[in-house]
Amino acid sequence: MVEGTSRIVGPVILLGPPGAGKGTQSKRVEQHYHIPQVSTGDILRQNVKADTVLGHVAKEIMARGQLVPDELVNPMVAERVREPDCDHGFILDGFPRTAAQAGWLDAFLEHEFFDNLQPHHGLLIVIQLAVDYNELLLRLTGRRSCPTCGRIYNVHLQPPKVDELCDLDGSRLIIRPDDREDVIRERLNAYAQLTQPVADYYRSTGRLKSVNGDLPVDQVTPQIFCLIDNTL
Ligand code: AMP
């Protein structure tokens, strides 16, 4: 494993249900490979916070644990990955979340990123984090995040050193509004119905790699790095 490699990577797609550890692992990939994490959930939350037109529409949908329509999310992703920091690769966290988004992404990457690179399918790395349902519930109900630096904690599994405060900057940790139990169930339902077919789509085209996301965070990370290194 090369620490802080600057080779061209990906794009990398991290798939998995809410609570699988996509956010935590994406941040580690971002640091190790120097490619930005593109989290559609984070971008939508920023829009809600800034009260943009998109944020205004997305707010209620997100509060119900449902998916924001593709017509809004796809252009948002296009705009983000066209930024220059994505030129050497990026890691998608929370996208694609429907089979239609996956089809859109293939077409988009084909046109905008893979024009001169063959064979392009080898360059797209799709990694699924597979996690047991009860473990997901435990992770989601215990999840806290830092509003300042975005670091994620879990009161059961990965508590901060000082109760409710971020280890890095001391900010008071927050619970996401969609991490309430009723909303969590809705989000897991949306995953089973709409996002599981995305994994099937990549599996059927031979591009899906799977990692056991039930393992402790520090054991999952090297497996992800290994899969990425083997594709480079
Ligand atoms: P996340 O932070 O990835 O769990 O996303 C939080 C919420 O943002 C989801 O429950 C959806 O309401 C919305 N969202 C995030 N990514 C997408 C996406 N790719 N498509 C539709 N809605 C999304």
Side-chain angles (χ1 to χ4, degrees), residues 170-185:
S171 303
R172 182 156 294 279
L173 302 180
I174 54 169
I175 304 179
R176 278 172 38 173
D178 57 352
D179 276 346
R180 287 198 341 259
E181 201 158 331
D182 53 331
V183 185
I184 287 171
R185 287 189 194 282

PDB file of all heavy atoms in Angstrom, residues 170-185:
ATOM      1  N   GLY A 170     -13.551  20.179  19.192  1.00  0.00           N
ATOM      2  CA  GLY A 170     -14.325  20.495  20.399  1.00  0.00           C
ATOM      3  C   GLY A 170     -15.761  20.927  20.135  1.00  0.00           C
ATOM      4  O   GLY A 170     -16.478  21.277  21.076  1.00  0.00           O
ATOM      5  N   SER A 171     -16.208  20.924  18.864  1.00  0.00           N
ATOM      6  CA  SER A 171     -17.599  21.316  18.582  1.00  0.00           C
ATOM      7  C   SER A 171     -18.559  20.313  19.210  1.00  0.00           C
ATOM      8  O   SER A 171     -18.241  19.118  19.337  1.00  0.00           O
ATOM      9  CB  SER A 171     -17.877  21.337  17.070  1.00  0.00           C
ATOM     10  OG  SER A 171     -16.996  22.189  16.426  1.00  0.00           O
ATOM     11  N   ARG A 172     -19.774  20.796  19.563  1.00  0.00           N
ATOM     12  CA  ARG A 172     -20.789  19.893  20.111  1.00  0.00           C
ATOM     13  C   ARG A 172     -21.342  19.032  18.974  1.00  0.00           C
ATOM     14  O   ARG A 172     -21.739  19.553  17.924  1.00  0.00           O
ATOM     15  CB  ARG A 172     -21.912  20.704  20.776  1.00  0.00           C
ATOM     16  CG  ARG A 172     -22.987  19.845  21.415  1.00  0.00           C
ATOM     17  CD  ARG A 172     -23.727  20.577  22.520  1.00  0.00           C
ATOM     18  NE  ARG A 172     -22.869  20.877  23.670  1.00  0.00           N
ATOM     19  CZ  ARG A 172     -22.563  20.004  24.642  1.00  0.00           C
ATOM     20  NH1 ARG A 172     -23.049  18.772  24.613  1.00  0.00           N
ATOM     21  NH2 ARG A 172     -21.782  20.356  25.644  1.00  0.00           N
ATOM     22  N   LEU A 173     -21.330  17.712  19.164  1.00  0.00           N
ATOM     23  CA  LEU A 173     -21.762  16.797  18.100  1.00  0.00           C
ATOM     24  C   LEU A 173     -23.276  16.880  17.898  1.00  0.00           C
ATOM     25  O   LEU A 173     -24.016  17.194  18.833  1.00  0.00           O
ATOM     26  CB  LEU A 173     -21.359  15.358  18.452  1.00  0.00           C
ATOM     27  CG  LEU A 173     -19.863  15.146  18.679  1.00  0.00           C
ATOM     28  CD1 LEU A 173     -19.576  13.693  19.026  1.00  0.00           C
ATOM     29  CD2 LEU A 173     -19.050  15.560  17.450  1.00  0.00           C
ATOM     30  N   ILE A 174     -23.715  16.607  16.662  1.00  0.00           N
ATOM     31  CA  ILE A 174     -25.146  16.680  16.359  1.00  0.00           C
ATOM     32  C   ILE A 174     -25.666  15.328  15.846  1.00  0.00           C
ATOM     33  O   ILE A 174     -24.900  14.506  15.331  1.00  0.00           O
ATOM     34  CB  ILE A 174     -25.466  17.785  15.323  1.00  0.00           C
ATOM     35  CG1 ILE A 174     -24.607  17.584  14.050  1.00  0.00           C
ATOM     36  CG2 ILE A 174     -25.252  19.175  15.886  1.00  0.00           C
ATOM     37  CD1 ILE A 174     -25.036  18.460  12.889  1.00  0.00           C
ATOM     38  N   ILE A 175     -26.983  15.157  16.001  1.00  0.00           N
ATOM     39  CA  ILE A 175     -27.661  13.980  15.431  1.00  0.00           C
ATOM     40  C   ILE A 175     -28.346  14.446  14.165  1.00  0.00           C
ATOM     41  O   ILE A 175     -29.072  15.455  14.178  1.00  0.00           O
ATOM     42  CB  ILE A 175     -28.746  13.432  16.381  1.00  0.00           C
ATOM     43  CG1 ILE A 175     -28.146  13.120  17.749  1.00  0.00           C
ATOM     44  CG2 ILE A 175     -29.423  12.200  15.780  1.00  0.00           C
ATOM     45  CD1 ILE A 175     -29.172  12.599  18.751  1.00  0.00           C
ATOM     46  N   ARG A 176     -28.130  13.756  13.078  1.00  0.00           N
ATOM     47  CA  ARG A 176     -28.816  14.142  11.838  1.00  0.00           C
ATOM     48  C   ARG A 176     -30.320  13.970  12.005  1.00  0.00           C
ATOM     49  O   ARG A 176     -30.768  12.982  12.585  1.00  0.00           O
ATOM     50  CB  ARG A 176     -28.323  13.271  10.682  1.00  0.00           C
ATOM     51  CG  ARG A 176     -27.023  13.769  10.112  1.00  0.00           C
ATOM     52  CD  ARG A 176     -26.440  12.833   9.115  1.00  0.00           C
ATOM     53  NE  ARG A 176     -27.401  12.175   8.239  1.00  0.00           N
ATOM     54  CZ  ARG A 176     -27.053  11.426   7.215  1.00  0.00           C
ATOM     55  NH1 ARG A 176     -25.788  11.231   6.933  1.00  0.00           N
ATOM     56  NH2 ARG A 176     -27.960  10.845   6.469  1.00  0.00           N
ATOM     57  N   PRO A 177     -31.122  14.905  11.463  1.00  0.00           N
ATOM     58  CA  PRO A 177     -32.575  14.787  11.631  1.00  0.00           C
ATOM     59  C   PRO A 177     -33.122  13.494  11.043  1.00  0.00           C
ATOM     60  O   PRO A 177     -34.145  12.977  11.517  1.00  0.00           O
ATOM     61  CB  PRO A 177     -33.136  16.004  10.883  1.00  0.00           C
ATOM     62  CG  PRO A 177     -31.978  16.721  10.265  1.00  0.00           C
ATOM     63  CD  PRO A 177     -30.708  16.108  10.757  1.00  0.00           C
ATOM     64  N   ASP A 178     -32.438  12.926  10.032  1.00  0.00           N
ATOM     65  CA  ASP A 178     -32.955  11.684   9.438  1.00  0.00           C
ATOM     66  C   ASP A 178     -32.389  10.441  10.121  1.00  0.00           C
ATOM     67  O   ASP A 178     -32.565   9.338   9.635  1.00  0.00           O
ATOM     68  CB  ASP A 178     -32.750  11.653   7.919  1.00  0.00           C
ATOM     69  CG  ASP A 178     -31.301  11.829   7.505  1.00  0.00           C
ATOM     70  OD1 ASP A 178     -30.464  12.132   8.385  1.00  0.00           O
ATOM     71  OD2 ASP A 178     -31.006  11.659   6.315  1.00  0.00           O
ATOM     72  N   ASP A 179     -31.730  10.591  11.262  1.00  0.00           N
ATOM     73  CA  ASP A 179     -31.278   9.425  12.018  1.00  0.00           C
ATOM     74  C   ASP A 179     -32.253   9.063  13.145  1.00  0.00           C
ATOM     75  O   ASP A 179     -31.900   8.344  14.077  1.00  0.00           O
ATOM     76  CB  ASP A 179     -29.861   9.655  12.592  1.00  0.00           C
ATOM     77  CG  ASP A 179     -28.768   9.340  11.564  1.00  0.00           C
ATOM     78  OD1 ASP A 179     -29.084   8.704  10.533  1.00  0.00           O
ATOM     79  OD2 ASP A 179     -27.608   9.735  11.772  1.00  0.00           O
ATOM     80  N   ARG A 180     -33.516   9.570  13.074  1.00  0.00           N
ATOM     81  CA  ARG A 180     -34.557   9.128  14.015  1.00  0.00           C
ATOM     82  C   ARG A 180     -35.036   7.751  13.576  1.00  0.00           C
ATOM     83  O   ARG A 180     -35.038   7.439  12.380  1.00  0.00           O
ATOM     84  CB  ARG A 180     -35.738  10.109  14.001  1.00  0.00           C
ATOM     85  CG  ARG A 180     -35.468  11.433  14.682  1.00  0.00           C
ATOM     86  CD  ARG A 180     -36.791  12.125  15.003  1.00  0.00           C
ATOM     87  NE  ARG A 180     -37.913  11.638  14.233  1.00  0.00           N
ATOM     88  CZ  ARG A 180     -38.427  12.259  13.151  1.00  0.00           C
ATOM     89  NH1 ARG A 180     -37.892  13.373  12.706  1.00  0.00           N
ATOM     90  NH2 ARG A 180     -39.458  11.746  12.522  1.00  0.00           N
ATOM     91  N   GLU A 181     -35.507   6.934  14.566  1.00  0.00           N
ATOM     92  CA  GLU A 181     -35.745   5.528  14.239  1.00  0.00           C
ATOM     93  C   GLU A 181     -36.764   5.315  13.111  1.00  0.00           C
ATOM     94  O   GLU A 181     -36.561   4.475  12.236  1.00  0.00           O
ATOM     95  CB  GLU A 181     -36.142   4.755  15.494  1.00  0.00           C
ATOM     96  CG  GLU A 181     -35.892   3.273  15.290  1.00  0.00           C
ATOM     97  CD  GLU A 181     -35.734   2.517  16.594  1.00  0.00           C
ATOM     98  OE1 GLU A 181     -35.291   3.096  17.590  1.00  0.00           O
ATOM     99  OE2 GLU A 181     -36.062   1.316  16.581  1.00  0.00           O
ATOM    100  N   ASP A 182     -37.879   6.103  13.120  1.00  0.00           N
ATOM    101  CA  ASP A 182     -38.889   5.903  12.067  1.00  0.00           C
ATOM    102  C   ASP A 182     -38.321   6.264  10.687  1.00  0.00           C
ATOM    103  O   ASP A 182     -38.580   5.587   9.691  1.00  0.00           O
ATOM    104  CB  ASP A 182     -40.157   6.724  12.361  1.00  0.00           C
ATOM    105  CG  ASP A 182     -39.861   8.194  12.615  1.00  0.00           C
ATOM    106  OD1 ASP A 182     -38.756   8.512  13.095  1.00  0.00           O
ATOM    107  OD2 ASP A 182     -40.733   9.021  12.316  1.00  0.00           O
ATOM    108  N   VAL A 183     -37.503   7.321  10.663  1.00  0.00           N
ATOM    109  CA  VAL A 183     -36.915   7.735   9.383  1.00  0.00           C
ATOM    110  C   VAL A 183     -35.851   6.723   8.932  1.00  0.00           C
ATOM    111  O   VAL A 183     -35.723   6.412   7.750  1.00  0.00           O
ATOM    112  CB  VAL A 183     -36.320   9.164   9.478  1.00  0.00           C
ATOM    113  CG1 VAL A 183     -35.815   9.626   8.122  1.00  0.00           C
ATOM    114  CG2 VAL A 183     -37.355  10.147  10.008  1.00  0.00           C
ATOM    115  N   ILE A 184     -35.127   6.190   9.915  1.00  0.00           N
ATOM    116  CA  ILE A 184     -34.106   5.189   9.593  1.00  0.00           C
ATOM    117  C   ILE A 184     -34.741   3.997   8.869  1.00  0.00           C
ATOM    118  O   ILE A 184     -34.228   3.517   7.855  1.00  0.00           O
ATOM    119  CB  ILE A 184     -33.396   4.709  10.885  1.00  0.00           C
ATOM    120  CG1 ILE A 184     -32.465   5.813  11.402  1.00  0.00           C
ATOM    121  CG2 ILE A 184     -32.613   3.429  10.640  1.00  0.00           C
ATOM    122  CD1 ILE A 184     -31.886   5.534  12.786  1.00  0.00           C
ATOM    123  N   ARG A 185     -35.893   3.553   9.383  1.00  0.00           N
ATOM    124  CA  ARG A 185     -36.554   2.401   8.745  1.00  0.00           C
ATOM    125  C   ARG A 185     -36.944   2.735   7.307  1.00  0.00           C
ATOM    126  O   ARG A 185     -36.799   1.918   6.399  1.00  0.00           O
ATOM    127  CB  ARG A 185     -37.785   1.968   9.562  1.00  0.00           C
ATOM    128  CG  ARG A 185     -37.373   1.271  10.827  1.00  0.00           C
ATOM    129  CD  ARG A 185     -38.511   0.618  11.585  1.00  0.00           C
ATOM    130  NE  ARG A 185     -38.057   0.264  12.922  1.00  0.00           N
ATOM    131  CZ  ARG A 185     -37.305  -0.795  13.205  1.00  0.00           C
ATOM    132  NH1 ARG A 185     -36.963  -1.635  12.261  1.00  0.00           N
ATOM    133  NH2 ARG A 185     -36.898  -1.029  14.440  1.00  0.00           N
TER     134      ARG A 185
END
